[in-house]
Amino acid sequence: MLRRTSYSRYGWAVVCLCFLLFVFSPAYASASNSGWDTALATVEQLHDSLSALELVNQLDKRKIQTLRKQNNDQRKEVDRKIKLIDKEKLEQLKLEADRIQKRHEPLLAKYIELGKKAAEAKKRKDKKSALRYDLERNRIKVSSSAARKEIKSSRDTLTAARKQASAKAKLVRDALEPIQAIKKQITAENKKIAVIHKSQSAANKRYRTSIKQGNALTAALEINIIVGELNRVQASQKKIYEWEGSIRNLIRTAEGKL
């Protein structure tokens, strides 16, 4: 009698367990399917955003490259023009100074030579020769003095013109000076983008693996990371484009000072 009662209770427990599994199993399955479907919808939605961001970033990158090339070319042109500041004027002044120097060289050489000969004659106690050399030297003294003044004046004019050209060049170079600091910012931002690309690449590999495995939940997680990294790239490229724009403006300002 006792054994029959135990079997009866055991059978009743099995029946209850089967009933509970029958009732609640669809709910668990439904929740699981619902999560998978939600993840799939997220992947589909973010996939469109991903494609749009990739296209925008490619276009932005091309815009940056185009603007950078224009800036580099214009900077080279400005540097070339700096070297040409008053070049023709300076060349003419130098030619004139050299011409004056060459024209007066015989007179000045003669004046110096007569002075040496007079000094040597005086050492020898040759008063007659010393007197003759002094007379000849004094006869051209005024002309020699005028020649030296003309030579000095032409050299001073050349030196002043060179200083003026150097001052003009400095104004232009000073206007270009801030470019160096901006370029350092761009370099630093490009390094950030390189790090972002590595993170994006790793997430992209995990994303493809999850797609092959049919794991929508992981795929949704990874594509969300990829989109986030693409947004960071977009923000960085926006900064770089603005900085390149600042460089363009600085070059134009410097060019206006030429």
Side-chain angles (χ1 to χ4, degrees):
M1 185 68 178
L2 181 59
R3 184 175 296 177
R4 286 182 181 178
T5 303
S6 298
Y7 282 133
S8 176
R9 288 177 179 176
Y10 177 78
W12 177 249
V14 170
V15 170
C16 289
L17 179 60
C18 290
F19 176 77
L20 288 172
L21 289 173
F22 175 79
V23 172
F24 290 103
S25 288
Y28 290 132
S30 176
S32 177
N33 289 337
S34 176
W36 194 94
D37 290 341
T38 300
L40 176 60
T42 299
V43 170
E44 290 176 342
Q45 180 182 1
L46 290 179
H47 188 274
D48 293 337
S49 298
L50 185 150
S51 299
L53 280 169
E54 285 181 334
L55 179 59
V56 168
N57 286 349
Q58 287 175 2
L59 293 174
D60 287 347
K61 186 176 181 179
R62 289 175 191 169
K63 284 168 60 180
I64 291 170
Q65 290 172 340
T66 299
L67 182 54
R68 181 173 297 152
K69 184 179 184 305
Q70 291 173 350
N71 286 342
N72 290 339
D73 291 344
Q74 195 61 30
R75 174 65 186 272
K76 289 178 182 177
E77 180 64 14
V78 171
D79 288 340
R80 186 186 70 83
K81 289 180 178 179
I82 289 174
K83 294 177 181 178
L84 296 176
I85 290 176
D86 294 342
K87 184 179 180 181
E88 185 176 346
K89 176 183 176 181
L90 293 172
E91 287 177 349
Q92 290 297 324
L93 288 173
K94 187 177 185 305
L95 286 173
E96 179 64 12
D98 290 344
R99 185 185 66 79
I100 293 172
Q101 177 82 34
K102 188 175 181 180
R103 177 161 57 86
H104 292 309
E105 274 179 358
L107 176 64
L108 295 175
K110 183 177 180 181
Y111 183 81
I112 293 171
E113 184 64 22
L114 288 170
K116 289 180 179 179
K117 287 181 178 180
E120 290 172 357
K122 289 173 183 178
K123 284 182 180 180
R124 298 193 309 268
K125 306 295 183 179
D126 185 354
K127 294 182 179 180
K128 184 178 179 180
S129 296
L131 178 60
R132 181 165 58 86
Y133 291 139
D134 280 339
L135 284 171
E136 290 184 11
R137 184 170 181 267
N138 290 333
R139 186 167 63 90
I140 61 173
K141 185 176 182 180
V142 174
S143 299
S144 298
S145 179
R148 286 195 184 93
K149 287 180 180 179
E150 187 177 6
I151 291 171
K152 184 179 184 302
S153 177
S154 65
R155 293 298 177 186
D156 288 346
T157 300
L158 176 60
T159 300
R162 283 173 173 169
K163 287 182 179 179
Q164 187 178 27
S166 180
K168 289 180 182 178
K170 187 177 184 303
L171 283 175
V172 180
R173 291 193 180 98
D174 287 347
L176 295 171
E177 186 64 27
I179 291 177
Q180 191 63 27
I182 296 175
K183 282 185 174 292
K184 287 182 179 179
Q185 288 179 300
I186 291 174
T187 299
E189 202 65 31
N190 278 325
K191 288 181 179 179
K192 288 182 183 179
I193 291 176
V195 173
I196 295 171
H197 280 321
K198 287 183 180 179
S199 174
Q200 177 191 339
S201 179
N204 194 49
K205 288 180 181 178
R206 296 192 299 268
Y207 170 68
R208 290 178 180 177
T209 299
S210 63
I211 293 296
K212 290 179 181 179
Q213 294 174 346
N215 190 337
L217 294 173
T218 302
L221 177 65
E222 298 301 339
I223 197 173
N224 187 59
I225 292 174
I226 295 170
V227 169
E229 299 296 49
L230 287 173
N231 277 318
R232 289 177 64 196
V233 170
Q234 185 182 35
S236 289
Q237 290 191 153
K238 183 180 179 181
K239 288 181 183 178
I240 292 173
Y241 187 76
E242 289 175 352
W243 286 331
E244 289 290 350
S246 297
I247 290 175
R248 176 191 57 200
N249 293 336
L250 286 168
I251 292 173
R252 288 177 177 174
T253 299
E255 192 173 21
K257 296 179 181 294
L258 286 167

